[in-house]
Amino acid sequence: MPVRNLAVAAVFEELADRLAIQGANVFRINAYRNAARTLQELSGDVGQMIEQGRDLTELRGIGADLAGKIHEIVTTGTCELLERLRREMPPAVTELLQVPGLGPKRVASLWHDLQVQTPEQVLRAARDGRIRALPGFGEKTERRIESAVAAHLSKERRFKLAVAGQYADALVAHLQRARGVERVVVAGSFRRMRETVGDLDVLVTARKANQAIEQFTGFAEVEEVLSRGGTRASVRLRGGLQVDLRLLAPESFGSALQYFTGSKAHNVALRRLAQERGLKVNEYGVFRGDTRIAGDTEESVYAALELPWIPPELREDRGEIDAARAGRLPKLIELGDLRGDLHAHTTATDGHQTIDEMAAAARALGLEYLAITEHSRRQGMAHGLDEKRLREQGEAIDRFNARAKGIRVLKGIEVDILDDGTLDLPDRALAGLDLVIAAVHSRFDLSRAQQTQRILRALENPNVSLLAHPTGRLIGEREPYDVDMLQVMRKAKERRVCLELNAHPERLDLIDTHCRMAKDEGVLVAITSDAHDVAQFANLRFGVGQARRGWLERRDVANARPLRELMRLLARR
Ligand code: DGT
Ligand code: CA
Ligand code: CA
């Protein structure tokens, strides 16, 4: 269960934050950050590795010292160094790092010079004008900090879908192990595959209510039991995610599932429709007067309203009820529809596995093709490829394809779009590839007009077949850049370029509403993993979730086509 990995990663993150505020050596800080990343991306359970006596220093970025710390954290739940640092500096100080504009240096100075520890205290200090006097701050900075902290305080905490998913999977498995527990479903925004989740809403049916609640509050990741009653309980997990559990009567399971899956807007619209028909819908069933006419299954709830079952990803009150009434619900894309992946990296740049390893993993997932698309030379940190290395990789791919069975590796590149919209490699280097992905990795700050022009120019390049992560956003970290998406789509359509839906949990970019726009504009979407190691192919499921939220069907997705059709599509351009 990878949850333990996340807990260890959280300790390392906190260590890095605290060391950064103390002004420690950057290499030491980065070592902890890298180790945290390794653990977050690890598919096996590090606790189990220890039990099996495996050598943790085999893991990327983990040396003897870090291996010792992991051991200590897994066995004791914390580590001595962290406890010491927490004694030296109060717990809340690290939260200040989450406020945009507050780096370790500023946080250190706020803490040392003003004894400020919490966001609320920062806000008060800013409003009192105490911050401007600190060396390196000034009045303008003070105003900026004031508004950033205010925004931070008013923002509810949300979790990325993939992170919530790790907790949800582990919790569901834990609940299912209890005797007497029958059904376990996670409803809410998680079931709708929203890119972020506020809390988990778990629905359970069980023969013995008590045992189910016991099992729930006994989940190893529970930090605090917030409330607990005969048929429901709420807990907060380590890491902060809240989980509400409700025990349901089997006969109203469908109604409750429907109700707690939401969204609220969908439910409101559904209730309105029910009222028009003289019916009442709530979490206990569908009623005509006092008579219950449906509710044991979700299908029965929708059927009572003369609707077909509506997939959870569509339940956002974005026209799905009208579509359902008209018999025009889309037949949504499914994970199993994907025939290949069009975006992946290897050890040639910043990936962690070889062509052979990546291809074997893709094949094991049932994919029939995989494009290797490394970064281009501008991405120096990632060892981006120049013309010569790209050619050499192409030869390696030819050799691979000559001997490989069951999967075809495509030659690609993820080439940077430069500031002026030209590409980071010459056309002659791109012309021989199967696939060219163009990507913005810089100058996110350009004006809407400039950013749009820049991307349109890149799409004019006859070699480009796919536009990577079209808005550039990183969920919770970086807003989308400002771009006229409709213009981009129309150019993409004209140039027969596909838009990427990058399934990396931090990106999920194309955004759902843009997926729908692409469909309306007749632009194909490619759902890609952007895998940097074999475990990351699993992220495709989140990309498919986002695509479903964007109403995409199999025919709207480029890599749902078999290899031959895909090659025809790429060649036609
Ligand atoms: P989240 O947790 O913020 O990511 O979003 P949800 O959609 O999971 O919302 P949550 O956890 O507050 O509630 C779960 C579901 O319960 C929600 O999607 C619909 C249903 N629900 C909650 N409150 C109301 C309400 O006041 N009216 C209606 N009709 N449904 C509600
Ligand atoms: Ca929820
Ligand atoms: Ca909830």
Side-chain angles (χ1 to χ4, degrees), residues 325-551:
R325 286 174 84 165
R328 274 203 263 283
L329 281 176
K331 187 174 182 315
L332 298 179
I333 178 91
E334 290 174 15
L335 185 59
D337 290 332
L338 297 188
R339 307 294 286 268
D341 190 352
L342 296 177
H343 188 161
H345 299 264
T346 73
T347 46
T349 59
D350 60 347
H352 302 294
Q353 261 123 8
T354 62
I355 295 171
D356 285 65
E357 289 166 328
M358 294 297 277
R363 190 188 149 182
L365 290 174
L367 300 182
E368 55 174 303
Y369 52 90
L370 169 68
I372 299 297
T373 55
E374 308 286 13
H375 291 291
S376 61
R377 59 191 173 184
R378 241 276 285 263
Q379 296 295 313
M381 294 272 281
H383 312 291
L385 300 186
D386 58 16
E387 216 179 327
K388 177 163 171 286
R389 289 176 61 216
L390 176 61
R391 198 168 50 239
E392 286 163 4
Q393 186 177 63
E395 289 158 11
I397 291 174
D398 284 337
R399 287 193 297 276
F400 174 86
N401 282 329
R403 66 172 187 273
K405 288 207 171 55
I407 185 146
R408 164 86 173 271
V409 171
L410 306 183
K411 287 181 246 179
I413 186 84
E414 179 182 8
V415 64
D416 265 41
I417 300 176
L418 302 180
D419 294 1
D420 63 356
T422 59
L423 302 180
D424 185 32
L425 285 169
D427 287 344
R428 64 168 183 272
L430 305 177
L433 299 172
D434 295 313
L435 172 85
V436 173
I437 306 182
V440 168
H441 286 135
S442 61
R443 294 305 306 274
F444 303 109
D445 59 332
L446 289 180
S447 73
R448 184 180 180 86
Q450 285 174 314
Q451 195 71 272
T452 305
Q453 280 315 310
R454 175 193 193 193
I455 294 173
L456 295 185
R457 182 160 181 208
L459 299 185
E460 288 284 354
N461 184 303
N463 297 304
V464 172
S465 24
L466 186 60
L467 177 66
H469 37 71
T471 78
R473 63 104 176 246
L474 294 177
I475 297 170
E477 277 161 52
R478 188 169 73 211
E479 291 296 309
Y481 42 72
D482 199 4
V483 64
D484 185 338
M485 195 55 82
L486 190 58
Q487 269 205 65
V488 169
M489 298 230 179
R490 296 203 163 143
K491 178 62 76 181
K493 161 91 177 165
E494 173 196 324
R495 303 293 310 160
R496 293 188 177 161
V497 172
C498 304
L499 294 191
E500 178 182 65
L501 195 178
N502 188 303
H504 193 285
E506 287 174 6
R507 292 194 181 269
L508 292 175
D509 180 12
L510 224 43
I511 297 169
D512 51 10
T513 49
H514 288 149
C515 287
R516 220 167 150 186
M517 189 193 269
K519 182 187 175 116
D520 291 343
E521 294 296 321
V523 176
L524 288 182
V525 173
I527 303 173
T528 70
S529 69
D530 198 357
H532 286 65
D533 66 46
V534 295
Q536 292 180 352
F537 288 120
N539 290 334
L540 284 170
R541 73 171 165 129
F542 302 115
V544 170
Q546 183 86 339
R548 289 168 64 87
R549 290 178 57 81
W551 293 53

Side-chain angles (χ1 to χ4, degrees), residues 44-265:
D45 176 22
V46 74
Q48 238 168 37
M49 288 181 70
I50 290 174
E51 276 166 31
Q52 294 162 354
R54 298 212 0 229
D55 181 7
L56 298 180
T57 62
E58 280 167 16
L59 297 173
R60 179 186 347 133
I62 308 288
D65 175 52
L66 286 169
K69 288 231 163 41
I70 295 175
H71 203 277
E72 183 186 358
I73 297 162
V74 167
T75 46
T76 69
T78 178
C79 80
E80 212 176 309
L81 174 62
L82 180 64
E83 292 309 312
R84 201 190 78 216
L85 292 173
R86 278 179 175 170
R87 284 194 296 274
E88 290 169 8
M89 190 195 303
V93 174
T94 52
E95 193 196 331
L96 298 182
L97 290 174
Q98 287 166 23
V99 178
L102 287 185
K105 273 214 189 88
R106 285 190 168 154
V107 170
S109 145
L110 289 168
W111 151 239
H112 281 299
D113 301 342
L114 298 178
Q115 282 77 52
V116 153
Q117 305 179 8
T118 64
E120 289 82 0
Q121 289 171 341
V122 176
L123 190 61
R124 195 165 328 128
R127 287 185 175 152
D128 295 351
R130 282 182 287 140
I131 291 178
R132 70 183 72 173
L134 298 177
F137 279 82
E139 196 177 336
K140 240 171 89 188
T141 305
E142 187 182 62
R143 290 286 74 75
R144 265 207 304 273
I145 291 175
E146 181 182 339
S147 59
V149 174
H152 172 81
L153 285 172
S154 67
K155 199 165 78 184
E156 55 165 342
R157 175 127 192 248
R158 299 189 66 83
F159 293 76
K160 292 186 192 89
L161 179 62
V163 173
Q166 293 192 335
Y167 288 108
D169 291 350
L171 175 60
V172 168
H174 172 79
L175 288 169
Q176 278 168 338
R177 275 197 294 274
R179 288 189 46 181
V181 166
E182 285 157 350
R183 274 187 287 190
V184 183
V185 181
V186 183
S189 52
F190 180 75
R191 185 164 178 241
R192 304 196 313 277
M193 296 292 275
R194 251 191 89 173
E195 61 202 31
T196 61
V197 166
D199 68 4
L200 291 176
D201 305 281
V202 183
L203 307 178
V204 168
T205 60
R207 285 191 300 278
K208 292 225 168 81
N210 257 346
Q211 276 177 11
I213 303 257
E214 278 299 299
Q215 181 81 357
F216 175 57
T217 54
F219 181 47
E221 298 298 321
V222 169
E223 184 167 71
E224 191 185 346
V225 178
L226 302 171
S227 69
R228 171 194 192 130
T231 58
R232 52 174 302 175
S234 287
V235 299
R236 191 176 56 245
L237 303 181
R238 274 188 259 280
L241 182 62
Q242 189 175 319
V243 189
D244 298 334
L245 176 123
R246 292 180 181 82
L247 263 162
L248 305 173
E251 63 274 14
S252 58
F253 187 80
S255 308
L257 180 57
Q258 195 289 316
Y259 181 87
F260 289 110
T261 295
S263 65
K264 200 166 156 178

